[in-house]
Amino acid sequence: MGKINYLVKRIRHMNYQNMFDTAHHVAEKTGRSYITVLCDIISCGLKYQAGYNDYLEFEFYLLNKEERKTYLTRGINNTIIKKYNRKDFYYKFDDKIVFNKLFNSYLKREWIYLREVKGDQFVEFLKGKKAIIVKPIDGDGGMGIEKININSKTNGKKLYRQLRKSGQVLVEEFVRQHPDMNQLYKNSVNTLRMFTFIQNGKVTFLNGILKIGNGGVVDNFSSGGMYTFVNQNGKVIAPAIDKQDLVYEVHPKTKTKIVGFQVPMFKEAVKMVKKAAKEVPEIGYVGWDVAISETGPIIIEGNCFPGVFQIRPSFSKKKEGILPKYLKVMDLKVK
């Protein structure tokens, strides 16, 4: 019934024009007919709960039936969230202020909520800081996040009023990332999305991806950034891709080689998120955004609706998704 309900909701709210555009894109890329591709997209939606974005991003057009079964799709991901993440605990991750207070010891940076302080307190907060990150408390995908440089000419009380008016009321100390991470791209904090699963007190680190900025102050996929995969030791094992379906062997702006890049302090980051997962065991499946600062890994935020990320079949000799790995620790009924 859960699968049927998910499909009904997807059909009702689907952007059909985007689906048609995806079919045209794949048809041109593969040399297949548009109708053949469109029918295959629809078939994969029914059989594997794979949306047209899954079909394109995970290259279902390159996979046979058995290979497709190994890929985690957004529909299956939704089933995992529904089963292992309790709705009455969502607020501990969705509410940025609640999250920051609960996980304060993992943030390892100063922050302030402007709706709880006055202008004078904000001015005091700014002392000694060269830059801050301001965020809305209800945004996602990097929307509304801005870096503001602070200097002797900064009018703190005026800035306080501007931020209150714009709704950018969560202010955090700017993270000075590790020099190795700066080599990739220094104008944004490049973060790891690290997935954990906890059941009966046992935490499993599932997998990790590396998100890299490309032109903005955030590294989000939806805001122009790119992502790639790292292995269990934090080494990049595939080229990066962006939302426009472009592939990057090296960073287009810094010319740093992406494949083979070693994320510093990765083992420490794994240890940290496994510990953090125990703070709210009612949310069993979490995607943590982790930065590697000059002094070590820090948590940026946690997501109780983790996205779906997998190595493209064309990037790997073995065309296998991450679903088998998930099924080793999760009790899921997947056809």
Side-chain angles (χ1 to χ4, degrees):
M1 183 61 70
K3 178 179 177 179
I4 295 175
N5 289 337
Y6 175 78
L7 289 173
V8 169
K9 289 180 181 179
R10 291 295 297 168
I11 291 171
R12 184 181 302 165
H13 300 290
M14 184 182 297
N15 186 323
Y16 287 95
Q17 187 57 56
N18 282 352
M19 181 178 71
F20 299 148
D21 290 345
T22 297
H24 277 296
H25 176 73
V26 174
E28 291 176 1
K29 191 172 184 177
T30 61
R32 300 174 186 174
S33 73
Y34 165 73
I35 294 299
T36 298
V37 173
L38 182 60
C39 289
D40 196 33
I41 289 175
I42 295 171
S43 175
C44 286
L46 296 172
K47 291 181 180 179
Y48 312 108
Q49 302 182 63
Y52 56 83
N53 285 322
D54 291 328
Y55 188 89
L56 174 63
E57 190 174 343
F58 307 134
E59 300 176 324
F60 265 51
Y61 50 87
L62 295 180
L63 306 175
N64 61 36
K65 179 180 178 181
E66 294 305 313
E67 290 167 341
R68 287 174 172 180
K69 287 181 180 180
T70 70
Y71 279 77
L72 177 67
T73 62
R74 283 163 175 79
I76 297 174
N77 198 59
N78 184 70
T79 299
I80 295 172
I81 292 167
K82 187 175 181 179
K83 180 169 184 176
Y84 292 109
N85 293 355
R86 284 178 49 179
K87 277 189 177 181
D88 52 332
F89 283 83
Y90 283 1
Y91 76 97
K92 293 191 175 184
F93 288 82
D94 293 341
D95 188 314
K96 290 182 172 63
I97 305 306
V98 171
F99 180 87
N100 276 21
K101 290 179 179 179
L102 179 60
F103 292 94
N104 189 59
S105 63
Y106 299 89
L107 304 183
K108 301 176 185 177
R109 62 190 181 279
E110 292 185 51
W111 63 277
I112 192 169
Y113 180 37
L114 299 189
R115 289 178 182 160
E116 292 182 347
V117 300
K118 296 182 178 180
D120 290 341
Q121 292 170 285
F122 177 63
V123 171
E124 188 67 24
F125 172 81
L126 293 179
K127 288 183 178 179
K129 295 178 177 61
K130 295 183 179 180
I132 57 174
I133 291 290
V134 298
K135 307 175 181 179
I137 60 173
D138 54 357
D140 55 23
M143 296 298 294
I145 297 177
E146 184 180 355
K147 177 186 177 183
I148 298 177
N149 293 317
I150 306 299
N151 54 48
S152 59
K153 296 181 180 180
T154 301
N155 186 324
K157 289 189 176 180
K158 181 180 179 180
L159 179 58
Y160 172 82
R161 292 192 295 270
Q162 291 174 341
L163 295 176
R164 286 290 303 262
K165 185 177 180 180
S166 67
Q168 296 164 300
V169 291
L170 175 56
V171 182
E172 299 179 347
E173 178 183 8
F174 183 71
V175 175
R176 296 173 62 88
Q177 68 181 345
H178 193 282
D180 290 355
M181 302 299 281
N182 274 332
Q183 288 182 11
L184 278 176
Y185 184 70
K186 67 178 182 179
N187 293 328
S188 73
V189 177
N190 308 302
T191 61
L192 294 157
R193 172 64 63 87
M194 308 183 75
F195 297 84
T196 59
F197 176 70
I198 182 171
Q199 188 174 42
N200 300 323
K202 182 180 179 181
V203 182
T204 301
F205 171 65
L206 295 168
N207 62 289
I209 67 161
L210 175 61
K211 298 189 289 182
I212 309 168
N214 184 22
V217 299
V218 294
D219 59 2
N220 298 69
F221 193 62
S222 58
S223 299
M226 61 184 80
Y227 81 88
T228 183
F229 260 81
V230 297
N231 62 18
Q232 294 292 310
N233 296 314
K235 189 173 183 178
V236 175
I237 55 177
I241 60 172
D242 67 11
K243 195 174 182 180
Q244 281 68 49
D245 197 30
L246 298 176
V247 177
Y248 301 91
E249 295 277 352
V250 299
H251 197 287
K253 298 187 182 300
T254 65
K255 307 306 177 185
T256 299
K257 187 177 179 181
I258 294 174
V259 179
F261 178 83
Q262 177 63 54
V263 176
M265 302 183 184
F266 187 77
K267 290 183 179 180
E268 291 88 339
V270 172
K271 183 178 180 181
M272 179 184 66
V273 295
K274 289 179 72 173
K275 181 180 179 183
K278 295 181 178 180
E279 300 288 348
V280 189
E282 293 84 1
I283 301 295
Y285 177 46
V286 180
W288 306 93
D289 286 340
V290 175
I292 308 298
S293 74
E294 292 179 329
T295 57
I298 63 174
I299 287 179
I300 301 297
E301 64 180 24
N303 302 273
C304 58
F305 277 79
V308 182
F309 302 90
Q310 286 161 113
I311 298 178
R312 287 188 167 190
S314 59
F315 294 167
S316 176
K317 293 181 180 179
K318 186 177 182 181
K319 294 180 174 61
E320 182 179 84
I322 59 175
L323 186 55
K325 186 174 183 179
Y326 278 40
L327 293 177
K328 288 181 180 179
V329 294
M330 297 178 183
D331 181 20
L332 296 174
K333 294 181 180 179
V334 180
K335 293 183 180 180

